[in-house]
Amino acid sequence: MSVQGYVEAFERFARDGGRTPAWLAPIRRAAMDRFQALGFPTRHDEDWHFTSAAPIAEADFTPLAGLGGPETVADVSSADLEPFTFRGAEWPRLVFLNGRFAASLSSTVGLPARVRVASLADALANDTPELRRHLTTIADTERNAFAALNTALFTDGVFLHVPAGVSVESPIHLLFLTDAEGARGVAYPRILVVADAHAQATLIESYVGLGDPSYFTDSVAELSLGDGSRIAHIRVQRESQRAFHVGLSQARQARDSHYASFSFATGASLSRANIYTDLAAPGAEVTLDGLYLADDAQHVDHQTRIVHRAPNCASHEVYKGILDGAAHGVFNGKVYVHPEAQKTDGKQTNNNLLLSTDAQVDTKPQLEIFADDVKCTHGATVGRLDEVALFYLKSRGLAAEEARTLLTYAFAADVLQRIATPAVRETLESLVRERFVGVPALAAG
Amino acid sequence: MTTTDNTVLQITDLHAAIGENEILRGISLTVNAGEVHAIMGPNGSGKSTLAQVLAGHPAYEVTAGRVTYDGEDLLEMEPETRAQRGLFLAFQYPVEIPGVTNAYFLRAAYNEIRKAKGLDEIDPIEFLELVEHRLKLVDMDPAMLNRFVNAGFSGGEKKRNEILQMAVLEPRLAILDETDSGLDIDALRVVAHGVNSLRRPDNATIVVTHYQRLLNYIVPDRVHVLAGGRIVRSGGKELALELEARGYDWLTEAAPAGVGVGTGA
Ligand SMILES: Nc1ncnc2c1ncn2[C@@H]1O[C@H](COP(=O)(O)OP(=O)(O)OP(=O)(O)O)[C@@H](O)[C@H]1O
Ligand SMILES: [Mg+2]
């Protein structure tokens, strides 16, 4: 759909107006103007050098939840969601089906009393100061056309507020499902997480396609981490193999906050995840980790951006990719260290494993350092399975195919170890095994 | 040389090359059940190459000769088939496999051998008992089971880990490639004790070593000297003492080109 098509969609949406509070309307219009000015990214954009957005720009998508209407949870039941839970865990969850909140599939039982979690549409209808103060203030819509488009057009999503000093023990799962009903549609999930001082929570943001419809997800998550807060944020992208997925996750970190981000990407025909964080005050720490798996003609792109604005902050990043078939992986990791960010401790690695001759990867770790007293390293590798290790396994009786799958799995295993929640880690481990069929469980003992 | 029902391994005029470079130049050796053979020889003489060729390393091309293992053509078998039939190589440089735990690796290898024998996979609890027993044999900390295979192990720990694998897999033919190198004297005793306690009338061992001291603990039936890709001398255990005293020069200089002097057993 042309830029003009989206502009027209916006005008219809703006006329309808009912769901947008007055304070948000001008922000949406400004974002639409920005999208119009930026247009879809092209290969001339430095940030999109290795990924073509043309398949998204050229396709026609209908807004999935644009104009309201009754909730339709056609044929999906709680039991159907079982495969997308984490070892059956009954965590609080908010489920969205084809862009629309599915209250009947959702539950917030078990959350501490003062924690607020709601669909964004509900939250906007019952506006709070936290929502107003933060919504649309973190995501970079200035340079990011897809984030601008989301800001202009989002209808629903999630608002999570964890008040000062509150620890949420149970992970909270946000599940965005698209099924055949959502074919040829576009959804703009929008998430806002506000963690006040010393609050703690774990958030899982999953995107799942049921069957193989073609559709477009353009998501934005904004996270505000207050002083000393700790947020773990796991992104699981399992869109249908024919889907398009562009997602931004952007955090702003206050003093001594700790953000642990993990991006797991295995779905979509074309996907791009922008994972950004701003270390805005001293003592803030971040771990940005990820694992991408792709085969056939899948294209999977991660762009991470860590901005060190204050002294004594640490960022540790490990991304791994496994590419088979004719898949194309892209990793572009930027670390900026501002002049005032002395004593920065930054470490970035990206390792890729190519399983076929047609698979390819472009990796571009970038450090831009303007402070002099820092410890920053980065490195990237692209390799194939280690022949020596393969022989070692075979010499102990493992068949060739088994040795290959075992080593492939082993390549991914250490980055998954960085996920703190065991049920999530184990589920993702199984997904990796399923992806490279035949690898048995690696339990110790 | 005679072949009996008792013969585990018979190597006849084996030549092997890597690229254009011929490394093994006519090796003949027969190893019978119940025997321990020691292979000694200067650096670069082809000892590890022989071991790797027997294990089926794809980088080496066998250009001539035959190897039978329990009467079957060994060179026709895939490396994993060789292992499943009871051939075990303790690597001179054990390989690190980050991401795979020792425990998983041992059990996978053990089950492959059982499968090849038409047996069911072992019950995990039963396997744990077996491993615990074997750990004691090589005096290894059970915590090593949960570590990734050889990853970050010290040189000595890696060698011990190879012997642990051997103790669990109970091979018919074990080839130990410089398992003693890098071991302190206590570790050497432990490893030798492990090897000796696994010795049975129906299995055989080839130890590649530079040091006579190992042979004080693992007493060989035959000692062979490999030089320039050939066995230039074979003898009883006293040959190792002579080598210790005199070095290799007297043998390598005397070796006539093109003819393998002396064969096994
Ligand atoms: N993969 C290889 N590529 C090239 N040359 C090789 C390779 N493997 C072995 N060689 C060469 O073959 C010769 C024999 O090597 P090998 O490792 O078998 O010796 P060795 O007797 O085990 O020596 P050491 O006592 O040092 O362990 C050496 O000259 C070595 O450089
Ligand atoms: Mg050697």
Side-chain angles (χ1 to χ4, degrees):
Chain A
M1 189 154 63
S2 62
V3 168
Q4 196 50 40
Y6 286 94
V7 173
E8 284 159 18
F10 176 75
E11 292 305 339
R12 283 193 298 277
F13 176 68
R15 265 199 306 280
D16 175 62
R19 294 184 151 208
T20 292
W23 61 269
L24 188 56
I27 296 173
R28 287 195 190 273
R29 182 156 297 278
M32 196 64 213
D33 290 346
R34 191 63 198 148
F35 172 72
Q36 213 175 342
L38 288 167
F40 284 101
T42 69
R43 300 268 192 137
H44 300 296
D45 290 274
E46 189 209 337
D47 286 352
W48 288 81
H49 189 64
F50 300 111
T51 297
S52 168
I56 297 173
E58 286 160 12
D60 269 324
F61 299 109
T62 333
L64 274 174
L67 300 170
E71 172 191 316
T72 49
V73 186
D75 302 321
V76 180
S77 71
S78 268
D80 296 326
L81 302 187
E82 163 71 26
F84 312 110
T85 64
F86 297 85
R87 309 213 128 191
E90 291 187 4
W91 294 334
R93 74 175 179 208
L94 275 73
V95 180
F96 295 78
L97 182 62
N98 300 321
R100 201 161 303 188
F101 180 54
S104 62
L105 298 172
S106 304
S107 158
T108 56
V109 174
L111 285 173
R114 292 161 55 225
V115 172
R116 176 148 192 237
V117 59
S119 84
L120 189 61
D122 284 350
L124 283 170
N126 309 281
D127 225 341
T128 65
E130 285 79 20
L131 181 72
R132 265 193 211 212
R133 195 176 320 128
H134 294 101
L135 189 69
T136 76
T137 67
I138 301 172
D140 177 5
T141 47
E142 215 23 57
R143 287 171 36 189
N144 188 326
F146 288 106
L149 189 61
N150 175 292
T151 298
L153 289 167
F154 72 81
T155 52
D156 212 343
V158 175
F159 173 52
L160 169 64
H161 176 215
V162 188
V166 175
S167 272
V168 185
E169 295 302 324
S170 172
I172 299 169
H173 188 196
L174 316 180
L175 176 56
F176 298 89
L177 286 168
T178 309
D179 69 3
E181 303 269 316
R184 288 173 302 283
V186 49
Y188 304 98
R190 182 81 179 204
I191 296 163
L192 174 64
V193 176
V194 179
D196 290 345
H198 305 287
Q200 295 194 21
T202 294
L203 183 77
I204 301 150
E205 178 188 353
S206 301
Y207 296 89
V208 170
L210 296 172
D212 72 339
S214 175
Y215 55 90
F216 175 33
T217 302
D218 176 15
S219 76
V220 172
E222 295 178 291
L223 301 99
S224 166
L225 280 79
D227 289 356
S229 64
R230 297 181 72 88
I231 296 289
H233 178 195
I234 300 129
R235 206 173 192 284
V236 181
Q237 190 271 94
R238 300 168 67 185
E239 303 275 30
S240 109
Q241 297 287 314
R242 292 172 59 215
F244 303 98
H245 178 102
V246 178
L248 167 68
S249 164
Q250 189 159 0
R252 187 164 58 209
Q253 297 188 240
R255 181 180 288 266
D256 299 329
S257 62
H258 186 279
Y259 180 48
S261 153
F262 196 99
S263 175
F264 179 86
T266 182
S269 143
L270 166 60
S271 72
R272 163 67 171 258
N274 295 311
I275 314 286
Y276 297 170
T277 193
D278 254 33
L279 298 156
E285 288 185 19
V286 64
T287 58
L288 284 195
D289 300 316
L291 175 65
Y292 43 94
L293 315 169
D295 58 15
D296 297 331
Q298 282 184 289
H299 183 102
V300 55
D301 179 355
H302 274 89
Q303 189 194 61
T304 68
R305 195 168 84 195
I306 298 168
V307 184
H308 282 266
R309 289 188 201 281
N312 295 305
C313 292
S315 62
H316 290 145
E317 176 168 19
V318 179
Y319 266 80
K320 288 202 170 194
I322 302 176
L323 303 152
D324 202 352
H328 186 176
V330 179
F331 174 81
N332 187 345
K334 297 185 185 181
V335 179
Y336 295 95
V337 181
H338 283 252
E340 50 279 16
Q342 298 295 1
K343 306 284 181 199
T344 287
D345 174 6
K347 191 166 192 298
Q348 182 187 56
T349 14
N350 172 233
N351 305 120
N352 298 280
L353 177 61
L354 301 182
L355 294 177
S356 68
T357 43
D358 288 340
Q360 71 178 102
V361 67
D362 289 292
T363 172
K364 198 172 163 197
Q366 284 173 279
L367 282 177
E368 289 187 34
I369 303 178
F370 301 97
D372 46 29
D373 183 14
V374 302
K375 196 175 79 196
C376 287
T377 60
H378 68 161
T381 62
V382 179
R384 296 185 183 276
L385 286 178
D386 180 357
E387 291 295 332
V388 176
L390 277 174
F391 176 63
Y392 190 64
L393 293 176
K394 287 193 237 174
S395 81
R396 296 296 181 256
L398 277 72
E401 198 44 43
E402 213 175 322
R404 292 177 63 81
T405 45
L406 182 57
L407 287 183
T408 302
Y409 176 77
F411 174 84
D414 71 332
V415 70
L416 290 173
Q417 294 299 315
R418 293 165 69 97
I419 298 174
T421 310
V424 175
R425 186 174 63 233
E426 288 157 17
T427 300
L428 298 187
E429 281 170 355
S430 322
L431 288 178
V432 175
R433 283 196 295 272
E434 278 164 28
R435 186 77 196 225
F436 302 101
V437 190
V439 188
L442 285 203
Chain B
M1 114 196 50
T2 52
T3 309
T4 65
D5 285 350
N6 221 13
T7 301
V8 177
L9 182 75
Q10 183 167 31
I11 305 174
T12 313
D13 192 32
L14 181 67
H15 291 248
I18 189 147
E20 298 287 282
N21 189 5
E22 182 166 66
I23 299 166
L24 302 183
R25 298 196 268 171
I27 290 190
S28 296
L29 178 68
T30 300
V31 179
N32 295 314
E35 291 178 349
V36 174
H37 288 238
I39 295 181
M40 305 183 80
N43 293 130
S45 57
K47 304 181 298 295
S48 292
T49 301
L50 175 61
Q52 299 276 340
V53 166
L54 294 176
H57 196 294
Y60 302 92
E61 190 196 347
V62 173
T63 49
R66 277 185 299 119
V67 181
T68 55
Y69 174 69
D70 280 337
E72 286 186 62
D73 186 348
L74 182 74
L75 302 176
E76 279 298 303
M77 297 179 202
E78 292 297 328
E80 58 268 31
T81 312
R82 301 178 195 202
Q84 289 159 9
R85 301 270 178 94
L87 187 145
F88 179 90
L89 168 63
F91 283 53
Q92 181 174 4
Y93 304 108
V95 180
E96 300 194 4
I97 311 194
V100 180
T101 64
N102 240 345
Y104 176 80
F105 180 51
L106 281 170
R107 201 170 78 202
Y110 189 83
N111 279 328
E112 287 305 325
I113 290 170
R114 283 181 66 100
K115 259 194 266 170
K117 288 180 181 158
L119 299 171
D120 285 342
E121 293 200 348
I122 191 170
D123 172 69
I125 307 288
E126 204 179 310
F127 183 70
L128 206 60
E129 282 166 14
L130 170 84
V131 172
E132 274 166 9
H133 177 257
R134 298 299 194 256
L135 277 166
K136 287 203 191 84
L137 198 66
V138 294
D139 194 22
M140 239 170 95
D141 182 353
M144 300 296 260
L145 289 179
N146 295 324
R147 289 185 48 187
F148 293 147
V149 179
N150 294 326
F153 284 26
S154 76
E157 285 169 345
K158 285 183 183 172
K159 297 299 177 84
R160 230 180 254 226
N161 204 28
E162 293 288 282
I163 299 304
L164 173 67
Q165 292 170 25
M166 172 180 152
V168 169
L169 301 178
E170 296 186 274
R172 173 151 166 88
L173 174 63
I175 305 165
L176 311 184
D177 190 358
E178 292 199 31
T179 301
D180 55 330
S181 299
L183 291 183
D184 60 41
I185 191 73
D186 292 336
L188 188 73
R189 274 201 207 101
V190 168
V191 163
H193 170 68
V195 172
N196 286 330
S197 22
L198 295 166
R199 257 183 99 165
R200 288 200 317 260
D202 64 343
N203 62 22
T205 311
I206 299 175
V207 282
V208 175
T209 182
H210 285 292
Y211 304 105
Q212 138 69 22
R213 63 171 194 178
L214 177 69
L215 305 179
N216 289 334
Y217 298 103
I218 306 175
V219 181
D221 297 288
R222 300 287 293 166
V223 175
H224 312 276
V225 179
L226 199 64
R230 295 188 189 88
I231 290 178
V232 295
R233 177 69 63 111
S234 294
K237 61 176 185 282
E238 55 306 325
L239 177 56
L241 289 167
E242 198 174 354
L243 293 170
E244 178 109 317
R246 297 178 64 188
Y248 294 115
D249 286 354
W250 60 286
L251 284 171
T252 49
E253 277 155 20
V259 186
V261 179
T263 54

